[in-house]
Amino acid sequence: MAPQLEPYFKQVDGLSSSFIDRLRKAVAIPSVSAQDENRKDVFKMAEFLSSELEALGAEVQQRPLGKQPGKEHLDLPPVVIARYGNDKNKRTILVYGHYDVQPALKEDGWATEPFELSVDEKGRMYGRGSTDDKGPVLGWLNVIEAHKKAGVELPVNLLCCFEGMEEYGSEGLEEFIQTESKGFFKDADAVCISDNYWLGTEKPCLTYGLRGCNYYSVRVSGPAQDLHSGVFGGSAHEPMTDLVNVLSRLVDSQGNILVPGIMDLVEPLTEEEKSLYPAISYTMENLHESLGSETGIHSTKERTLMARWRYPSLSIHGIEGAYSAPGAKTVIPASVIGKFSIRTVPNMESPDVNKLVFDYIKSEFAKLNTKNTLDVWLQHDGKWWVASPKHWNFTAASKAVKQVFGVEPDLTREGGSIPVTLNFEQATGKNVLLLPMGSSTDAAHSINEKLDKRNYIEGVKLLGAYLHYVAEEPISA
Amino acid sequence: MAPQLEPYFKQVDGLSSSFIDRLRKAVAIPSVSAQDENRKDVFKMAEFLSSELEALGAEVQQRPLGKQPGKEHLDLPPVVIARYGNDKNKRTILVYGHYDVQPALKEDGWATEPFELSVDEKGRMYGRGSTDDKGPVLGWLNVIEAHKKAGVELPVNLLCCFEGMEEYGSEGLEEFIQTESKGFFKDADAVCISDNYWLGTEKPCLTYGLRGCNYYSVRVSGPAQDLHSGVFGGSAHEPMTDLVNVLSRLVDSQGNILVPGIMDLVEPLTEEEKSLYPAISYTMENLHESLGSETGIHSTKERTLMARWRYPSLSIHGIEGAYSAPGAKTVIPASVIGKFSIRTVPNMESPDVNKLVFDYIKSEFAKLNTKNTLDVWLQHDGKWWVASPKHWNFTAASKAVKQVFGVEPDLTREGGSIPVTLNFEQATGKNVLLLPMGSSTDAAHSINEKLDKRNYIEGVKLLGAYLHYVAEEPISA
């Protein structure tokens, strides 16, 4: 054990009630970024964070991001940035989190008041933002406090970047990070983000990859206006018929993408990468539990996780312009837009994927011999991200997990995207680590969001221990 | 010419201004059956019709239909029934129309106030309900008035059935017709409905057939709740993938129904029926004009009209449960319901069609080898209707058209359904004729609904002449 950790851990245990009180105060501020009427609460939360950080001795700034685009009557919440320590002989770690939360109403089905932290007998702390992302954000504050009170010097310089618009698109943040990577964040040696979740409930993980996403729209148009299917059915080419036909050619029921050439872009699986999977703490029962059904495609956990993390997938999300309400309507929609997306992985470059998708769809549509017209376009894309799990940033975190939890962490990737990860990597050029605090059952974005007391308190130990190992790690590739 | 027609026609011309005034008064009553707040206006319209009919000497009853199912705070509007003439030596004609209208707001894009009749320099009379169906309903009142004022005896007994809920599902009407076919309507020798439109703008038509409609839902379900496509894409069978695949197998881009056996149920085209088509006043330009595009499937008018009237068609209307809004959402919907319908024609019996559809969909779904589940069910059905255009009811109408417009009417069918037609046929066992007053450009249900003055005034002559020829026609098969 790093020598200073024992007094630090003891201090964390001693302060656990006050750490929970800190979380209670934060959860009580309904900092919902998506709702205009809560914007004042998002600012209040920024103020709370700033004053807590200042009280701990950090240098804090609230950096405005201007008016909210499209909602110019609203100011964007500030980015709360802070520095704790400025010792040239220490490594500097930049940590990111967000202090805004998803909307929540008791009527949505919460068992408790969403903006009151409610701790049950099993130590589950329910409340909006408990796990996403107020618990982890306060984790860093708790780390500083416990060090101070234990009389243990923080072994690194800590830079904080806490935003207030994450749940509403991180408006303005990318440019801010870009700018401050040469300014306030310029000393950062590595980045640590705690805003995701363990794969299960027992074992921590370090996350080193995320899939990207290319989101497409494909529109088929025919008549100038919707038609009555009784009057015109059989005499006109129907856009829905053609669209459904095109969509049916994109992916099969086993999840195989049917666009020729897509799979050729995928980085082949190496033996080394393959060897990471068997040890991962995950079972097919875990999958079935999260699906609420046994409709998984693959029969092994390895193949299932690879399908989610390191292979692309194609999902059809829906159709705009057709009849989507309950009941019956005998309409021939005049123009319909299919929405689908491809989750991308190394080495799928967006322009290559787009070309394959566009060419394939157009050639399949041509085969239909319809007089309707088709357009297909990219609605948005976000690149995949993969970091080296052998970097000292990861090995330090791995040792911290072993120290605090007594196990080797799972080395995981995720199927979804966390755009800020790539933003930090690209802006700073430094290694980025995703070090989650919460578990897979925390129900972020859902009703009854919670953070287990164990995850919170041991998580504070983990974050602190990580900083100690970071200070000790030799330089890696 | 039937001897009494000349003075009758002169009288109609002389009364044309007062007939337009009658329509103006009717249009001014916003008898929108779909909107609770207008229910009082629907009642007011019933009152207006009743008092006009009474003033003309008809025996009138307003027959209540009870509370509106599902909206028990509302009384259903009454059916206004009337008898004019009770001479056992005359034929008795039962006429149907409706006095309620579709909703209309100036803001929807109307060029004039929808509930003020506005007559332009070309004699187009704009106003909600002008053509659908207040003009035709008042047509019958005008027929009586012009006969009285011309001193010409009405050559038949007239029974009226005017309802106030047609635009909202004709709630309660079917049972009413069933009951009164042995009561108030028991003397009816034939039925005439004026609630559809000419095929074009120049030539009247007699309509002798309607397609039926079997409306289906097909649901594919997988996970217990919607999934994030980033997290789960590639690892779970996606209901949208399977549904789109199933829907793509129902119909091809040329409108061919792919359900095996369906076409075997269709009554073969006879030479006699085929011979009716070339004379019909319709061109491919008419089709393109109504589509607002040149996306028709067939190259000739005959094949186009057959596709609409005497062959089945299958339309995919939309998908419930998937993402249908503008923008992007990376959801894997947990359960999605495709909606499609088949327009049916002789001799497709609903149970036979259902069996073919269900068996085919289930067998195609089985081929997908997915763990998701599928249900398919009939949401509702309505039978097709075809009358004999050789019945005296039709030959009388045909002679009337020739008398008033100087042309042979088009003998048409329609692709859509008008359920009341079948209700009258089944309840009375008598021949039913659809004798439209308005033209194809009247924009019923749309903004700027209108009825041309010519269609209205000549239409009153047509309805009157029809009654005279009805009185003269020998009994037909």
Coordinates of all heavy atoms in Angstrom, one line a residue, chain A residues 211 215 224-225 229-231 233-235 237-238 242 253-254 290-291 295-298 308 313 315 317-319 323-325 327-331 339 343 368-369 371 379 415, chain B residues 211 215 224-225 229-231 233-235 237-238 242 253-254 290-291 295-298 308 313 315 317-319 323-325 327-331 339 343 368-369 371 379 415:
Chain A
R211 N -17.8 3.2 -28.5 CA -18.2 3.2 -29.9 C -18.6 4.6 -30.3 O -19.0 5.4 -29.5 CB -19.3 2.2 -30.2 CG -18.9 0.8 -29.9 CD -19.8 -0.2 -30.6 NE -21.2 -0.2 -30.0 CZ -22.1 -1.1 -30.2 NH1 -21.9 -2.1 -31.2 NH2 -23.3 -1.1 -29.6
Y215 N -25.4 8.7 -37.5 CA -26.9 8.6 -37.5 C -27.4 9.1 -38.8 O -27.1 10.2 -39.3 CB -27.4 9.5 -36.4 CG -28.8 9.2 -35.9 CD1 -29.1 8.6 -34.7 CD2 -29.9 9.6 -36.7 CE1 -30.4 8.3 -34.3 CE2 -31.2 9.3 -36.3 CZ -31.5 8.7 -35.1 OH -32.7 8.4 -34.6
A224 N -47.6 14.6 -53.7 CA -47.4 15.9 -53.1 C -48.0 16.1 -51.8 O -47.6 16.9 -51.0 CB -48.0 17.0 -54.1
Q225 N -49.0 15.2 -51.4 CA -49.6 15.2 -50.1 C -50.0 13.8 -49.7 O -50.1 13.0 -50.6 CB -50.8 16.2 -50.1 CG -52.0 15.8 -50.9 CD -51.8 16.0 -52.4 OE1 -51.2 16.9 -52.8 NE2 -52.3 15.0 -53.1
S229 N -55.8 5.8 -48.6 CA -55.5 4.5 -49.2 C -56.6 3.8 -49.9 O -56.4 3.0 -50.7 CB -54.9 3.6 -48.1 OG -55.9 3.2 -47.2
G230 N -57.8 4.2 -49.6 CA -59.0 3.7 -50.3 C -59.0 4.2 -51.7 O -59.1 3.5 -52.7
V231 N -58.9 5.5 -51.8 CA -59.0 6.1 -53.1 C -57.8 5.8 -54.0 O -58.0 5.5 -55.2 CB -59.1 7.7 -52.9 CG1 -59.2 8.4 -54.3 CG2 -60.3 8.0 -52.1
G233 N -55.0 3.6 -53.2 CA -54.2 2.3 -53.0 C -54.2 1.4 -54.2 O -55.3 1.1 -54.7
G234 N -53.1 1.0 -54.7 CA -53.0 0.2 -55.9 C -52.6 0.9 -57.1 O -52.2 0.3 -58.1
S235 N -52.9 2.3 -57.1 CA -52.6 3.0 -58.3 C -51.4 3.9 -58.3 O -50.9 4.4 -59.3 CB -53.8 3.9 -58.7 OG -54.0 4.9 -57.7
H237 N -47.3 4.5 -56.5 CA -46.2 4.0 -55.7 C -46.2 4.6 -54.3 O -46.3 5.8 -54.2 CB -44.8 4.3 -56.4 CG -44.6 3.7 -57.7 ND1 -44.3 2.3 -57.9 CD2 -44.7 4.2 -59.0 CE1 -44.2 2.0 -59.1 NE2 -44.4 3.1 -59.9
E238 N -46.2 3.7 -53.3 CA -46.3 4.2 -52.0 C -44.9 4.3 -51.3 O -44.2 3.4 -51.2 CB -47.2 3.3 -51.1 CG -48.6 3.2 -51.8 CD -49.6 2.5 -50.9 OE1 -49.3 2.3 -49.7 OE2 -50.7 2.2 -51.4
D242 N -41.7 1.4 -50.2 CA -40.3 1.5 -50.7 C -39.4 1.7 -49.5 O -38.3 1.1 -49.5 CB -40.2 2.7 -51.7 CG -41.0 2.5 -53.0 OD1 -41.3 1.3 -53.2 OD2 -41.2 3.4 -53.7
S253 N -31.9 -10.2 -38.9 CA -32.4 -10.4 -37.5 C -31.3 -10.8 -36.6 O -31.5 -10.8 -35.4 CB -33.5 -11.4 -37.6 OG -34.7 -10.8 -38.2
Q254 N -30.2 -11.3 -37.1 CA -29.0 -11.7 -36.3 C -28.1 -10.6 -36.0 O -27.0 -10.8 -35.5 CB -28.3 -12.9 -36.9 CG -29.2 -14.0 -37.4 CD -30.3 -14.4 -36.5 OE1 -30.0 -14.7 -35.3 NE2 -31.5 -14.5 -37.0
S290 N -30.8 -7.2 -17.8 CA -30.9 -5.9 -18.3 C -31.9 -5.7 -19.4 O -32.5 -4.7 -19.6 CB -29.5 -5.2 -18.6 OG -28.7 -6.1 -19.3
L291 N -32.0 -6.8 -20.2 CA -33.0 -6.8 -21.3 C -34.4 -7.0 -20.8 O -35.3 -6.5 -21.4 CB -32.7 -7.9 -22.4 CG -31.4 -7.8 -23.2 CD1 -31.3 -9.0 -24.1 CD2 -31.2 -6.5 -23.9
T295 N -33.8 -12.3 -25.2 CA -33.7 -12.1 -26.6 C -32.3 -11.7 -27.1 O -32.2 -10.9 -28.0 CB -34.8 -11.1 -27.1 OG1 -34.6 -9.9 -26.3 CG2 -36.2 -11.6 -26.9
G296 N -31.3 -12.1 -26.4 CA -30.0 -11.9 -26.8 C -29.6 -12.7 -28.1 O -30.2 -13.7 -28.3
I297 N -28.7 -12.1 -28.9 CA -28.4 -12.8 -30.1 C -27.4 -13.9 -29.9 O -27.5 -15.0 -30.5 CB -27.9 -11.7 -31.2 CG1 -29.0 -10.8 -31.6 CG2 -27.3 -12.5 -32.4 CD1 -28.5 -9.6 -32.5
H298 N -26.3 -13.6 -29.1 CA -25.2 -14.5 -29.0 C -25.3 -15.4 -27.8 O -26.0 -15.1 -26.8 CB -23.9 -13.7 -29.0 CG -23.8 -12.7 -30.1 ND1 -23.6 -13.1 -31.4 CD2 -24.0 -11.3 -30.1 CE1 -23.6 -12.0 -32.2 NE2 -23.9 -10.9 -31.4
R308 N -21.2 -5.6 -28.3 CA -21.5 -4.3 -27.8 C -20.4 -3.3 -27.8 O -20.6 -2.1 -27.9 CB -22.0 -4.5 -26.3 CG -23.4 -5.1 -26.2 CD -23.7 -5.6 -24.9 NE -23.6 -4.6 -23.8 CZ -24.1 -4.7 -22.6 NH1 -24.7 -5.9 -22.3 NH2 -24.0 -3.8 -21.7
S313 N -22.8 -2.0 -34.9 CA -24.2 -2.5 -35.0 C -25.0 -1.5 -35.7 O -24.6 -0.3 -35.8 CB -24.7 -2.7 -33.6 OG -24.7 -1.5 -32.8
S315 N -29.0 -0.1 -35.9 CA -30.3 -0.1 -35.3 C -31.2 0.8 -36.1 O -30.9 1.9 -36.5 CB -30.3 0.4 -33.9 OG -29.5 -0.5 -33.1
H317 N -34.4 3.1 -35.8 CA -35.0 3.7 -34.7 C -36.5 4.0 -34.9 O -37.3 4.0 -33.9 CB -34.2 5.0 -34.3 CG -32.8 4.8 -34.1 ND1 -32.3 4.0 -33.1 CD2 -31.7 5.2 -34.8 CE1 -31.0 3.9 -33.2 NE2 -30.6 4.6 -34.2
G318 N -36.8 4.3 -36.1 CA -38.2 4.7 -36.4 C -38.4 5.4 -37.7 O -37.5 5.5 -38.5
I319 N -39.6 5.8 -37.9 CA -40.0 6.4 -39.2 C -40.8 7.7 -38.9 O -41.8 7.7 -38.1 CB -40.9 5.4 -40.0 CG1 -40.0 4.2 -40.4 CG2 -41.4 6.2 -41.3 CD1 -40.7 3.2 -41.2
Y323 N -47.9 7.1 -40.0 CA -48.9 7.1 -38.9 C -48.3 6.4 -37.7 O -47.9 5.2 -37.8 CB -50.2 6.4 -39.4 CG -51.2 6.4 -38.3 CD1 -51.7 7.6 -37.8 CD2 -51.7 5.2 -37.8 CE1 -52.7 7.6 -36.8 CE2 -52.7 5.2 -36.8 CZ -53.2 6.4 -36.3 OH -54.1 6.3 -35.3
S324 N -48.2 7.0 -36.6 CA -47.5 6.4 -35.4 C -48.4 6.4 -34.2 O -47.9 5.9 -33.1 CB -46.2 7.2 -35.1 OG -46.5 8.5 -34.8
A325 N -49.6 6.9 -34.3 CA -50.4 6.9 -33.1 C -51.1 5.5 -32.9 O -51.1 4.7 -33.8 CB -51.5 8.0 -33.2
G327 N -54.4 3.1 -32.7 CA -55.6 3.1 -33.5 C -55.3 2.9 -34.9 O -54.3 2.3 -35.3
A328 N -56.2 3.4 -35.8 CA -56.1 3.1 -37.2 C -56.3 4.3 -38.0 O -57.1 5.1 -37.7 CB -57.2 2.0 -37.6
K329 N -55.5 4.5 -39.0 CA -55.7 5.6 -40.0 C -55.3 5.1 -41.3 O -54.2 4.5 -41.5 CB -54.8 6.8 -39.6 CG -55.0 8.0 -40.4 CD -54.1 9.2 -39.9 CE -54.3 10.4 -40.8 NZ -53.4 11.5 -40.5
T330 N -56.2 5.3 -42.3 CA -56.0 4.7 -43.6 C -55.3 5.7 -44.6 O -55.8 6.1 -45.6 CB -57.3 4.3 -44.2 OG1 -58.2 5.4 -44.2 CG2 -57.9 3.1 -43.5
V331 N -54.1 6.1 -44.1 CA -53.3 7.1 -44.9 C -52.2 6.4 -45.7 O -51.6 5.4 -45.3 CB -52.7 8.1 -43.9 CG1 -51.7 7.5 -43.0 CG2 -52.1 9.3 -44.6
K339 N -35.1 6.4 -39.8 CA -34.0 6.8 -39.0 C -33.2 5.6 -38.6 O -33.8 4.7 -38.0 CB -34.4 7.6 -37.7 CG -35.5 8.6 -37.9 CD -35.0 9.9 -38.4 CE -36.1 11.0 -38.6 NZ -36.4 11.7 -37.4
R343 N -23.4 2.1 -35.0 CA -22.4 2.3 -34.0 C -21.0 1.9 -34.6 O -20.9 0.8 -35.1 CB -22.7 1.4 -32.8 CG -24.0 1.8 -32.1 CD -23.8 3.1 -31.3 NE -25.1 3.7 -30.9 CZ -25.2 4.7 -30.1 NH1 -24.2 5.3 -29.6 NH2 -26.4 5.2 -29.9
L368 N -35.8 -1.3 -56.9 CA -37.2 -1.4 -56.6 C -38.0 -1.0 -57.8 O -39.2 -1.3 -57.9 CB -37.6 -0.5 -55.4 CG -37.0 -0.9 -54.1 CD1 -37.5 0.1 -53.0 CD2 -37.3 -2.3 -53.7
N369 N -37.4 -0.2 -58.7 CA -38.1 0.2 -59.9 C -39.4 1.0 -59.6 O -40.4 0.8 -60.1 CB -38.4 -1.0 -60.8 CG -38.8 -0.7 -62.2 OD1 -38.4 0.4 -62.7 ND2 -39.5 -1.5 -62.9
K371 N -41.2 4.9 -59.0 CA -41.1 6.3 -59.4 C -40.9 7.3 -58.3 O -40.8 8.5 -58.5 CB -42.3 6.7 -60.3 CG -42.4 5.9 -61.6 CD -43.7 6.2 -62.3 CE -43.8 5.3 -63.5 NZ -45.3 5.1 -63.9
Q379 N -27.2 12.5 -40.4 CA -27.8 13.5 -39.5 C -26.7 14.0 -38.6 O -26.6 15.2 -38.4 CB -29.0 12.9 -38.8 CG -30.0 14.0 -38.4 CD -31.2 13.4 -37.7 OE1 -31.5 13.7 -36.6 NE2 -32.0 12.6 -38.4
G415 N -20.6 0.5 -25.4 CA -21.2 0.6 -26.7 C -21.6 2.0 -27.1 O -21.7 2.3 -28.3
Chain B
R211 N -64.8 -0.5 -52.4 CA -63.9 -1.6 -51.8 C -64.2 -1.7 -50.3 O -64.6 -0.7 -49.7 CB -62.4 -1.3 -52.1 CG -62.1 -1.4 -53.6 CD -60.6 -1.5 -53.8 NE -59.9 -0.3 -53.5 CZ -58.6 -0.1 -53.8 NH1 -57.9 -1.1 -54.3 NH2 -58.0 1.0 -53.5
Y215 N -58.2 -3.9 -41.8 CA -57.1 -3.2 -41.2 C -56.4 -4.0 -40.1 O -57.0 -4.5 -39.2 CB -57.6 -1.9 -40.6 CG -56.6 -0.8 -40.3 CD1 -56.5 0.3 -41.2 CD2 -55.6 -0.9 -39.3 CE1 -55.6 1.3 -41.0 CE2 -54.7 0.1 -39.1 CZ -54.7 1.2 -40.0 OH -53.8 2.2 -39.8
A224 N -37.9 -6.0 -22.3 CA -39.0 -5.5 -21.5 C -39.2 -4.0 -21.5 O -40.2 -3.5 -21.2 CB -38.7 -5.9 -20.0
Q225 N -38.1 -3.3 -22.0 CA -38.3 -1.8 -22.1 C -37.4 -1.4 -23.2 O -36.5 -2.1 -23.7 CB -37.9 -1.1 -20.8 CG -36.4 -1.2 -20.3 CD -36.0 -2.6 -19.9 OE1 -36.8 -3.2 -19.2 NE2 -34.8 -3.0 -20.3
S229 N -29.4 2.2 -28.0 CA -28.7 1.4 -29.1 C -27.2 1.4 -28.9 O -26.6 0.5 -29.5 CB -29.1 2.1 -30.4 OG -28.5 3.3 -30.6
G230 N -26.6 2.3 -28.2 CA -25.2 2.2 -28.0 C -24.8 1.1 -27.1 O -24.0 0.3 -27.3
V231 N -25.6 1.0 -26.0 CA -25.3 0.0 -25.0 C -25.6 -1.4 -25.5 O -24.8 -2.4 -25.3 CB -26.1 0.3 -23.7 CG1 -25.8 -0.8 -22.6 CG2 -25.7 1.6 -23.2
G233 N -26.9 -2.3 -28.8 CA -26.9 -2.6 -30.3 C -25.9 -3.7 -30.6 O -24.8 -3.6 -30.3
G234 N -26.4 -4.7 -31.3 CA -25.5 -5.8 -31.7 C -25.7 -7.0 -30.8 O -25.3 -8.1 -31.2
S235 N -26.2 -6.8 -29.6 CA -26.3 -8.0 -28.7 C -27.7 -8.5 -28.5 O -27.9 -9.6 -27.9 CB -25.7 -7.6 -27.3 OG -26.4 -6.6 -26.7
H237 N -31.7 -9.1 -30.2 CA -32.6 -9.0 -31.4 C -33.5 -7.8 -31.3 O -34.1 -7.5 -30.3 CB -33.5 -10.3 -31.4 CG -32.8 -11.5 -31.7 ND1 -32.3 -11.9 -32.9 CD2 -32.4 -12.5 -30.8 CE1 -31.7 -13.1 -32.8 NE2 -31.7 -13.5 -31.5
E238 N -33.5 -7.0 -32.4 CA -34.2 -5.7 -32.3 C -35.6 -5.9 -33.0 O -35.7 -6.2 -34.2 CB -33.4 -4.6 -33.0 CG -32.1 -4.4 -32.3 CD -31.3 -3.2 -32.7 OE1 -31.9 -2.3 -33.4 OE2 -30.1 -3.1 -32.4
D242 N -36.9 -6.8 -37.1 CA -37.8 -7.9 -37.5 C -39.1 -7.4 -38.1 O -39.6 -7.9 -39.1 CB -38.2 -8.8 -36.3 CG -36.9 -9.4 -35.7 OD1 -35.9 -9.6 -36.5 OD2 -36.9 -9.9 -34.6
S253 N -43.0 -2.9 -54.7 CA -43.1 -1.5 -55.1 C -44.1 -1.2 -56.2 O -44.5 -0.1 -56.5 CB -41.7 -1.0 -55.5 OG -40.9 -0.8 -54.3
Q254 N -44.5 -2.3 -57.0 CA -45.4 -2.2 -58.0 C -46.9 -2.4 -57.5 O -47.8 -2.5 -58.3 CB -45.1 -3.2 -59.2 CG -43.7 -3.3 -59.6 CD -43.0 -1.9 -59.8 OE1 -43.6 -1.0 -60.4 NE2 -41.8 -1.7 -59.2
S290 N -54.2 14.7 -59.2 CA -54.6 14.5 -57.8 C -53.4 13.9 -57.0 O -53.4 14.2 -55.7 CB -55.8 13.5 -57.8 OG -55.6 12.4 -58.6
L291 N -52.5 13.3 -57.6 CA -51.3 12.8 -56.8 C -50.4 14.0 -56.5 O -49.6 14.0 -55.6 CB -50.5 11.8 -57.5 CG -51.1 10.4 -57.8 CD1 -50.2 9.5 -58.5 CD2 -51.6 9.8 -56.5
T295 N -46.2 9.7 -60.0 CA -45.8 8.4 -59.4 C -46.9 7.4 -59.4 O -47.0 6.5 -58.5 CB -45.3 8.7 -57.9 OG1 -46.4 9.3 -57.2 CG2 -44.1 9.5 -57.9
G296 N -47.6 7.4 -60.5 CA -48.6 6.3 -60.7 C -47.9 5.1 -61.1 O -46.9 5.1 -61.7
I297 N -48.5 3.9 -60.8 CA -47.9 2.6 -61.1 C -48.2 2.2 -62.5 O -47.3 1.8 -63.2 CB -48.4 1.5 -60.1 CG1 -47.9 1.8 -58.7 CG2 -48.0 0.2 -60.6 CD1 -48.4 0.9 -57.6
H298 N -49.4 2.4 -62.9 CA -49.9 1.8 -64.2 C -49.8 2.9 -65.3 O -49.9 4.1 -65.0 CB -51.3 1.2 -64.1 CG -51.4 0.3 -62.9 ND1 -50.8 -1.0 -62.9 CD2 -51.9 0.4 -61.7 CE1 -51.0 -1.5 -61.8 NE2 -51.7 -0.7 -61.0
R308 N -57.7 0.8 -58.5 CA -58.4 1.6 -57.5 C -59.7 1.0 -57.1 O -60.2 1.1 -55.9 CB -58.5 3.0 -57.9 CG -57.2 3.8 -57.9 CD -57.3 5.1 -58.6 NE -58.3 6.0 -58.1 CZ -58.4 7.3 -58.4 NH1 -57.5 7.8 -59.2 NH2 -59.3 8.0 -57.8
S313 N -55.7 -3.8 -52.8 CA -54.4 -3.1 -52.6 C -54.0 -3.3 -51.1 O -54.8 -3.5 -50.3 CB -54.4 -1.6 -53.0 OG -55.3 -0.9 -52.2
S315 N -51.7 -1.3 -48.2 CA -50.9 -0.1 -47.9 C -50.3 -0.2 -46.4 O -51.0 -0.7 -45.6 CB -51.8 1.2 -47.9 OG -52.2 1.4 -49.2
H317 N -49.3 1.8 -43.3 CA -49.6 3.1 -42.8 C -48.6 3.7 -41.9 O -48.4 4.9 -41.9 CB -51.0 3.1 -42.2 CG -52.1 2.5 -43.1 ND1 -52.4 3.1 -44.3 CD2 -52.8 1.4 -43.0 CE1 -53.3 2.3 -44.8 NE2 -53.6 1.3 -44.1
G318 N -48.0 2.9 -41.1 CA -47.0 3.4 -40.2 C -46.7 2.4 -39.1 O -47.1 1.3 -39.1
I319 N -45.9 2.9 -38.1 CA -45.4 2.0 -37.0 C -45.6 2.8 -35.7 O -45.2 3.9 -35.6 CB -43.9 1.7 -37.3 CG1 -43.8 0.8 -38.5 CG2 -43.4 1.0 -36.0 CD1 -42.3 0.5 -38.9
Y323 N -39.5 5.5 -32.9 CA -39.3 6.9 -32.8 C -39.9 7.6 -34.1 O -39.5 7.2 -35.2 CB -37.8 7.2 -32.7 CG -37.4 8.6 -32.6 CD1 -37.9 9.4 -31.6 CD2 -36.6 9.2 -33.6 CE1 -37.6 10.7 -31.5 CE2 -36.3 10.6 -33.5 CZ -36.8 11.3 -32.5 OH -36.5 12.6 -32.4
S324 N -40.8 8.5 -33.9 CA -41.4 9.1 -35.1 C -41.3 10.6 -35.1 O -41.8 11.2 -36.1 CB -42.9 8.7 -35.0 OG -43.5 9.2 -33.9
A325 N -40.6 11.2 -34.2 CA -40.5 12.7 -34.2 C -39.3 13.1 -35.1 O -38.5 12.3 -35.5 CB -40.2 13.1 -32.8
G327 N -35.7 14.9 -35.9 CA -34.5 14.8 -35.1 C -34.0 13.4 -35.0 O -34.3 12.5 -35.8
A328 N -33.2 13.2 -33.9 CA -32.5 11.9 -33.8 C -32.7 11.3 -32.4 O -32.6 12.1 -31.4 CB -31.0 12.1 -34.1
K329 N -33.0 10.1 -32.3 CA -33.0 9.4 -30.9 C -32.4 8.0 -31.1 O -32.9 7.3 -32.0 CB -34.4 9.4 -30.4 CG -34.6 8.9 -29.0 CD -36.0 8.9 -28.6 CE -36.1 8.3 -27.2 NZ -37.5 8.1 -26.7
T330 N -31.5 7.7 -30.3 CA -30.8 6.4 -30.4 C -31.4 5.3 -29.6 O -30.8 4.7 -28.7 CB -29.3 6.6 -30.1 OG1 -29.2 7.1 -28.7 CG2 -28.6 7.5 -31.0
V331 N -32.7 5.1 -29.9 CA -33.4 4.1 -29.1 C -33.6 2.8 -29.9 O -33.6 2.8 -31.1 CB -34.8 4.7 -28.8 CG1 -35.7 4.9 -30.1 CG2 -35.6 3.8 -27.8
K339 N -48.8 -1.1 -38.9 CA -50.2 -0.9 -39.3 C -50.3 -1.0 -40.8 O -49.6 -0.3 -41.5 CB -50.8 0.4 -38.8 CG -50.5 0.9 -37.4 CD -51.3 0.3 -36.4 CE -51.0 0.8 -35.0 NZ -51.7 2.0 -34.6
R343 N -57.3 -3.3 -49.0 CA -58.6 -2.9 -49.6 C -59.2 -4.1 -50.3 O -58.5 -4.7 -51.1 CB -58.4 -1.7 -50.6 CG -57.9 -0.5 -49.9 CD -59.1 0.2 -49.1 NE -58.6 1.2 -48.2 CZ -59.3 2.0 -47.5 NH1 -60.7 1.9 -47.6 NH2 -58.8 2.8 -46.7
L368 N -37.2 -15.7 -39.9 CA -36.2 -14.7 -39.5 C -35.3 -15.3 -38.4 O -34.2 -14.8 -38.1 CB -36.8 -13.5 -38.9 CG -37.7 -12.7 -39.9 CD1 -38.3 -11.4 -39.2 CD2 -36.9 -12.3 -41.1
N369 N -35.8 -16.4 -37.7 CA -35.0 -17.0 -36.7 C -34.6 -16.0 -35.6 O -33.4 -15.9 -35.2 CB -33.7 -17.6 -37.4 CG -33.1 -18.7 -36.5 OD1 -33.7 -19.2 -35.6 ND2 -31.8 -18.9 -36.7
K371 N -35.5 -14.3 -31.7 CA -36.1 -14.7 -30.4 C -37.2 -13.7 -30.0 O -37.8 -13.9 -29.0 CB -35.0 -14.7 -29.3 CG -34.0 -15.9 -29.5 CD -32.9 -15.8 -28.5 CE -31.8 -16.8 -28.8 NZ -30.5 -16.4 -28.3
Q379 N -57.6 -5.3 -36.9 CA -58.1 -4.2 -36.0 C -59.5 -3.9 -36.4 O -60.3 -3.7 -35.4 CB -57.2 -3.0 -36.3 CG -57.2 -2.1 -35.1 CD -56.2 -0.9 -35.2 OE1 -56.6 0.2 -35.1 NE2 -55.0 -1.2 -35.4
G415 N -62.6 3.4 -54.5 CA -61.6 2.6 -53.8 C -61.8 2.6 -52.3 O -61.5 1.6 -51.6

